Amino acid sequence: MYSVTRSILAVAVLFISSLCGTVAFPQAAKFIHHAADPWPLANMTLSRVPCTRERESAAADSNAATAASRGPDSACDTPPVSAPSVNPCSPAGLGRSGCPAPRDAVQEDLAGMGKAGQKILRARERVLEILQGENTCSAWYRGKDSNPADTFRTLSFEMDPKGQELVLESKRTGDLTIFRSPYVARVFQGDGRYGRITINTNGAFFSPLATMVEEQSDGGARSLRGTRLLRVGPYAGDTLHAQVLALLHEFGHIVDLLPTDEGDLDGKSEQNTAEVLRFCRAEVESKVRRNTLSATR
């Protein structure tokens, strides 16, 4: 911290420099001038000489009113009265005209991710609009998180370019056929504030369709079956509705509002998506813009 005690010499110099520049010499001259007076002490003043420091800068001029208010008997070393400065753009004053908006690091990161980042950013802003509003969707999330918009704003995003890219078709007993599409996004269950959403670049968040292959029950080679449309719930892949629903679904896992659906066993992911739609469909499909910002299948 380098805090040391000042020397006696330094204190003496500081004390002398804090007095008026010409206090001693005018008083001495006044005493000599009245030396012939039979009553010299009657003509001497016992008050201090008014402070008359020269104004050496524009800053001194700005304090003229303060100096004048001290009166003629004020000592030069009397500290000026100062009031603490107030920053109108402090956190308490944010939102005032002329104040910069608070920095959104996640928004800045997404803006630097090119076209894919712009798509995530657009969906993120729409989700924030929904969560900040008064509607059945935001009320549902508030049952688990008192300020869901604030929590969602802290989430970061990353893309998985090596994620599953094929639709897998498999036959089950009887005529049952199961299609497993590439995962859309994933999170850690109950991750909470500052969690991360990973988005599959080959899934329905960015792609409207994918190549489909048939898996053989005996473990044989897969056979190409053409292409298949990708969807998030009822919405076609690579659309704003699908992207918003995907983020709302993942957010449900992050705040532990939806149960885990890892591996989509027994269609758990689709059930969770249906639960999100039960509360949020009207807002997902709303075209009103308010100018605010777990695996999904």
Side-chain angles (χ1 to χ4, degrees):
M1 293 289 289
Y2 304 105
S3 178
V4 296
T5 303
R6 294 187 179 89
S7 66
I8 295 175
L9 178 59
V11 172
V13 172
L14 177 61
F15 177 76
I16 293 172
S17 65
S18 68
L19 296 177
C20 295
T22 56
V23 169
F25 294 104
Q27 288 178 349
K30 184 179 292 185
F31 181 79
I32 294 171
H33 177 72
H34 294 286
D37 194 320
W39 304 101
L41 295 178
N43 296 295
M44 290 182 66
T45 177
L46 299 179
S47 62
R48 294 186 181 183
V49 176
C51 182
T52 56
R53 287 198 185 97
E54 293 184 0
R55 297 170 180 171
E56 298 179 353
S57 65
D61 289 334
S62 67
N63 293 324
T66 302
S69 66
R70 295 174 182 164
D73 295 329
S74 297
C76 294
D77 57 356
T78 302
V81 177
S82 61
S85 59
V86 177
N87 181 5
C89 292
S90 63
L94 287 177
R96 295 185 180 180
S97 177
C99 295
R103 182 169 175 260
D104 188 336
V106 177
Q107 184 182 50
E108 293 174 4
D109 289 343
L110 291 174
M113 291 183 184
K115 187 176 180 180
Q118 292 296 329
K119 289 185 178 182
I120 299 173
L121 182 58
R122 181 183 63 168
R124 175 180 183 260
E125 290 175 345
R126 180 64 188 125
V127 171
L128 283 174
E129 290 177 357
I130 293 172
L131 296 178
Q132 289 171 170
E134 292 297 330
N135 50 71
T136 57
C137 186
S138 62
W140 181 53
Y141 284 98
R142 282 197 299 272
K144 197 71 174 181
D145 185 314
S146 61
N147 194 340
D150 187 57
T151 300
F152 185 82
R153 190 177 283 105
T154 69
L155 305 183
S156 60
F157 297 83
E158 69 175 4
M159 289 179 279
D160 178 13
K162 297 182 179 180
Q164 178 186 340
E165 58 183 344
L166 300 174
V167 176
L168 304 179
E169 177 188 7
S170 58
K171 302 289 187 181
R172 296 294 176 88
T173 304
D175 296 331
L176 180 63
T177 301
I178 295 182
F179 300 92
R180 287 179 290 171
S181 297
Y183 84 88
V184 181
R186 66 187 181 200
V187 296
F188 287 105
Q189 184 75 21
D191 210 10
R193 292 175 65 86
Y194 299 101
R196 176 176 296 177
I197 298 178
T198 300
I199 301 176
N200 182 10
T201 59
N202 303 309
F205 197 97
F206 295 115
S207 303
L209 51 83
T211 300
M212 182 171 61
V213 296
E214 181 180 3
E215 288 187 310
Q216 303 300 323
S217 57
D218 57 3
R222 295 173 173 175
S223 57
L224 183 64
R225 300 282 290 172
T227 59
R228 182 176 174 85
L229 294 175
L230 298 179
R231 310 184 75 83
V232 180
Y235 310 120
D238 195 28
T239 63
L240 181 59
H241 289 166
Q243 293 157 354
V244 169
L245 178 56
L247 295 188
L248 287 172
H249 181 131
E250 298 310 313
F251 186 53
H253 288 298
I254 285 176
V255 297
D256 217 11
L257 184 59
L258 295 174
T260 183
D261 52 21
E262 184 179 0
D264 193 30
L265 298 176
D266 300 321
K268 287 288 182 63
S269 183
E270 290 185 5
Q271 294 173 24
N272 284 335
T273 295
E275 184 71 355
V276 176
L277 284 171
R278 187 161 74 93
F279 294 97
C280 302
R281 185 165 193 156
E283 290 299 318
V284 169
E285 297 180 357
S286 173
K287 296 181 180 180
V288 177
R289 302 306 299 271
R290 296 170 181 77
N291 298 321
T292 33
L293 257 199
S294 346
T296 307
R297 300 181 186 277

